Amino acid sequence: MPKATGIVRRIDDLGRIVIPKEIRRTLHIRETDPMEIFTDTEGQIILKKYSPIGDISAFAGKYADSLAEATGMTVCITDREQVIAAAGEHKKNLMGKPVTRELNQAMENRSGVVASDDEDGFVKVTMDSRFKQEAMHPIICQGDVLGTVLMMSIDMKPHFTDNEKKMVKTAANFLGRHMEA
């Protein structure tokens, strides 16, 4: 196993440590991202990007199951880093996979999309996804984009409409409000 490169930083008088820009860039950590701090059994301090939506992954999984069962489509729910819940025929190909940079950019636009792979607005969920059409809407909680809800199909029939967009928007809004409570 290759050894990770380390950088030495001193703790200031307020107990702060600066995470170097190179590491933040590599791990996609932005200025306002919450970080989880914990220790392991060997006394190491571990910093990890905190995903509030990850806290409700079991609940999100049940919601994805219900939506997939009602529509017959593949449904996934992501945080900003990976797929945290998936349901439908292609669930195994999605669970735990990292999301694409393009999907993160689409989330930042804060609007829903219904698109085919040959249209503007279509983004791959994961690097190896084979879906041909999708309906997507970001999950927003207290003004922050936390993830997204997607409904996808590997073929073009039936063609997605505003109904699918409304379903994923409703799911995303519900999950966002659920997290505010």
Side-chain angles (χ1 to χ4, degrees):
M1 182 164 115
K3 184 177 179 181
T5 303
I7 298 172
V8 176
R9 294 290 171 134
R10 294 198 184 277
I11 297 175
D12 72 10
D13 57 343
L14 296 176
R16 297 176 296 198
I17 299 174
V18 174
I19 301 171
K21 186 176 186 176
E22 301 81 21
I23 293 175
R24 293 192 319 259
R25 187 180 313 124
T26 300
L27 298 176
H28 308 289
I29 298 171
R30 296 171 298 160
E31 282 182 23
T32 59
D33 286 345
M35 300 295 293
E36 186 176 4
I37 303 168
F38 54 96
T39 60
D40 67 8
T41 57
E42 297 169 7
Q44 295 180 350
I45 297 172
I46 300 167
L47 293 175
K48 182 180 176 186
K49 278 180 75 171
Y50 175 67
S51 171
I53 198 164
D55 289 345
I56 64 162
S57 61
F59 180 77
K62 291 176 183 175
Y63 201 110
D65 285 338
S66 296
L67 197 53
E69 187 177 312
T71 63
M73 302 293 172
T74 299
V75 175
C76 74
I77 299 170
T78 74
D79 62 12
R80 299 296 300 251
E81 304 296 320
Q82 66 182 346
V83 176
I84 63 155
E89 185 177 346
H90 302 282
K91 173 182 178 175
K92 290 179 184 176
N93 299 334
L94 292 166
M95 273 305 296
K97 297 276 177 84
V99 299
T100 62
R101 181 176 294 133
E102 293 78 19
L103 181 59
N104 257 297
Q105 290 170 345
M107 287 184 224
E108 284 300 320
N109 290 338
R110 296 174 176 259
S111 61
V113 173
V114 173
S116 302
D117 65 351
D118 59 353
E119 297 175 339
D120 288 341
F122 184 87
V123 294
K124 283 186 153 193
V125 178
T126 63
M127 289 305 292
D128 58 350
S129 64
R130 303 180 329 255
F131 298 101
K132 299 291 185 195
Q133 61 177 330
E134 66 191 5
M136 182 274 286
H137 201 277
I139 300 168
I140 300 173
C141 178
Q142 297 178 339
D144 294 326
V145 177
L146 302 181
T148 189
V149 176
L150 294 111
M151 182 184 303
M152 302 159 296
S153 175
I154 60 169
D155 58 39
M156 297 300 289
K157 294 184 181 173
H159 193 72
F160 281 12
T161 65
D162 280 342
N163 288 334
E164 286 78 16
K165 185 176 179 178
K166 288 176 185 175
M167 283 189 265
V168 296
K169 180 179 180 179
T170 300
N173 288 343
F174 178 81
L175 290 171
R177 288 189 180 129
H178 178 76
M179 292 180 58
E180 288 175 355

